[in-house]
Amino acid sequence: MPVGTQGSVKSVSPRELRELNAQIILGNTYHLFVRPGIEVIKHFGGLHRFMNWDGQMLTDSGGYQIFSLAKLRKISEQGVEFQNHVDGTAAFISPEIAMEIQAALGSDIAMVLDECPPWPCERDYAARSLEMTTRWARRCKEWTKENAQRSTSNVQRPTAEELHRSSQLSTLNSQLLFGIVQGGTFDDLRKESAQAIVEVGFDGYAIGGVSVGEPEDEMMRAVEASEPFLPNEKPRYAMGLGTPPQLLELIARGIDMFDCVLPTRLARNGTAFASTGTLNLKNAEFALDKRPIEENCGCPACREFTRGYIRHLIKAEEILGLRLITLHNLHFYLDLMRQAREAIEAGSFNELRRRFVANYKTRDVDPATSVGEAVSFPPNKPER
């Protein structure tokens, strides 16, 4: 899922996302709650209509952003009191308010409000946190059962005439609700959390509290400790992950859905993804390079421009440069997922995975992200 933090995937239009064959995008509840505010989005008939997006959309609950961005945060059984990162205005979000906000946004998939514990944290903290996350999840589900249909009455999709894409226009259905597994890096707590969330019962299940600074082996272990206790017939979502090799490794571990800011964030730093690893196009080695970012890539950047020209744009701080790399990186991620789906259907996923990981070399890792590049294979995991 390309990440649309403020109702926009950075530097990319909804039309371009459709042309990239993005199936679903992610909207950030916290950011939209802070700015422009829910009343503004309700005025326009929901987030789909506000941003002119006719595809599927998942919204997070805001829990992670409250953990990572908000000032003077105070967490209690009732919810979270905080001062937002924009102007310091005091605000309060409870499980019920998180559901109300997402209903007003009109996303296709909503996430329960959870507490995302930091890394590292003590076992007792992680245990108390997951217990409260479970209680909050029950409250989210109960609110949704009682209020969701009424609260989404103002939500509208863009019309077919407005978008000229009637064949792809989605029908607004009842919002799906996903639960979130927590438990830090403690295997038994991950199992306990997964079993408790499944007992509550949701349309899908997310593994949260990863990509918060922990080493990659601990992140993979958190996924491995959670996944066996999630139902096979429901989608599994690894929140905030990951690099291209990590995505394939997580698919091998039974994960179906991902979101990650890396394709757009690294693009703004001049870094492009390729099947052989990341390329820092700011480097002098690319100044005279007439090749596209990736040979045989069908994205707009690779069809029309050379590495040397894109490097020039980045060095000259021309906006087109970061846009072209962003389009390429999003295409690269989405196409990798397409290849994975086709390989699973053909029974050749493990071959794709091992070949890709063996050829992918780490070069310049963005210091602003905690998502590492190393990978490890799970032993004899069946394909899903």
Side-chain angles (χ1 to χ4, degrees):
M1 293 179 285
V3 178
T5 302
Q6 311 210 48
S8 170
V9 177
K10 291 189 183 298
S11 82
V12 178
S13 72
R15 175 184 56 77
E16 289 169 321
L17 289 170
R18 288 188 288 269
E19 291 170 352
L20 291 172
N21 296 317
Q23 296 180 325
I24 179 172
I25 64 173
L26 181 143
N28 289 107
T29 298
Y30 169 87
H31 287 281
L32 295 167
F33 171 71
V34 172
R35 184 174 51 196
I38 299 306
E39 291 305 315
V40 172
I41 295 174
K42 286 173 68 175
H43 172 77
F44 284 93
L47 187 54
H48 288 88
R49 198 175 192 83
F50 188 50
M51 64 179 292
N52 202 33
W53 170 250
D54 66 339
Q56 303 297 304
M57 185 185 301
L58 180 147
T59 47
D60 60 18
S61 65
Y64 179 78
Q65 280 73 33
I66 292 171
F67 152 76
S68 64
L69 294 176
K71 308 169 189 174
L72 302 179
R73 182 178 60 247
K74 180 181 179 182
I75 301 173
S76 69
E77 188 68 34
Q78 288 69 41
V80 186
E81 298 177 32
F82 63 95
Q83 292 182 336
N84 75 61
H85 73 291
V86 175
D87 59 11
T89 301
F92 175 76
I93 292 182
S94 66
E96 293 79 9
I97 292 173
M99 293 297 96
E100 185 174 0
I101 293 169
Q102 292 180 83
L105 293 174
S107 57
D108 302 280
I109 302 172
M111 305 300 300
V112 301
L113 183 66
D114 64 323
E115 183 193 0
C116 182
W119 182 88
C121 72
E122 298 294 330
R123 177 188 170 81
D124 287 348
Y125 183 100
R128 291 195 303 271
S129 175
L130 82 84
E131 290 168 359
M132 186 165 66
T133 289
T134 302
R135 293 192 296 271
W136 283 2
R138 292 193 187 100
R139 288 166 58 185
C140 289
K141 183 176 180 180
E142 187 62 31
W143 188 94
T144 299
K145 287 170 59 178
E146 294 178 357
N147 298 280
Q149 194 61 44
R150 174 177 58 82
S151 297
T152 57
S153 61
N154 188 51
V155 173
Q156 304 170 54
R157 293 282 189 163
T159 66
E161 292 77 17
E162 290 169 329
L163 289 166
H164 304 288
R165 297 183 62 85
S166 58
S167 63
Q168 296 188 18
L169 192 63
S170 301
T171 301
L172 181 62
N173 296 316
S174 296
Q175 199 172 50
L176 301 180
L177 183 60
F178 280 23
I180 302 177
V181 176
Q182 290 290 352
T185 55
F186 303 95
D187 292 1
D188 59 329
L189 295 184
R190 284 284 173 178
K191 174 183 176 181
E192 177 185 337
S193 178
Q195 290 176 326
I197 292 295
V198 169
E199 184 178 349
V200 177
F202 292 97
D203 299 301
Y205 298 92
I207 299 173
V210 289
S211 189
V212 292
E214 76 281 4
E216 190 190 52
D217 61 340
E218 293 194 19
M219 178 264 285
M220 288 290 182
R221 199 173 76 241
V223 172
E224 292 169 348
S226 307
E227 183 273 336
F229 306 100
L230 302 178
N232 286 328
E233 70 276 10
K234 298 290 182 69
R236 292 95 166 271
Y237 165 26
M239 303 183 75
L241 299 173
T243 66
Q246 285 175 346
L247 296 190
L248 295 181
E249 290 301 314
L250 289 163
I251 290 171
R253 289 161 168 84
I255 303 301
D256 306 300
M257 299 171 60
F258 312 91
D259 77 281
C260 190
V261 298
L262 285 182
T264 51
R265 176 186 292 171
L266 292 191
R268 297 195 302 278
N269 292 325
T271 298
F273 286 97
S275 57
T276 56
T278 51
L279 306 174
N280 186 342
L281 294 177
K282 291 184 291 188
N283 289 347
E285 65 181 291
F286 298 113
L288 302 178
D289 197 330
K290 294 183 178 180
R291 293 174 294 171
I293 296 173
E294 176 92 317
E295 297 287 354
N296 302 315
C297 175
C299 82
C302 291
R303 289 199 311 265
E304 301 178 27
F305 301 102
T306 65
R307 293 177 177 181
Y309 177 66
I310 295 173
R311 177 185 183 271
H312 157 68
L313 295 176
I314 294 298
K315 297 296 287 185
E317 298 183 352
E318 287 288 340
I319 294 172
L320 178 60
L322 68 87
R323 269 186 36 79
L324 290 174
I325 301 177
T326 298
L327 288 168
H328 168 79
N329 286 353
L330 288 171
H331 176 275
F332 183 87
Y333 265 65
L334 292 166
D335 192 63
L336 181 62
M337 294 298 94
R338 178 193 59 79
Q339 293 178 54
R341 288 192 297 272
E342 292 179 355
I344 290 170
E345 291 176 352
S348 58
F349 174 74
N350 281 332
E351 178 185 345
L352 167 69
R353 165 189 162 220
R354 292 183 183 278
R355 182 178 67 249
F356 183 91
V357 172
N359 292 333
Y360 192 92
K361 307 299 181 186
T362 301
R363 294 184 180 88
D364 299 283
V365 179
D366 179 16
T369 178
S370 61
V371 181
E373 294 273 7
V375 292
S376 58
F377 294 102
N380 300 319
K381 294 289 284 187
E383 293 186 11
R384 293 186 68 248

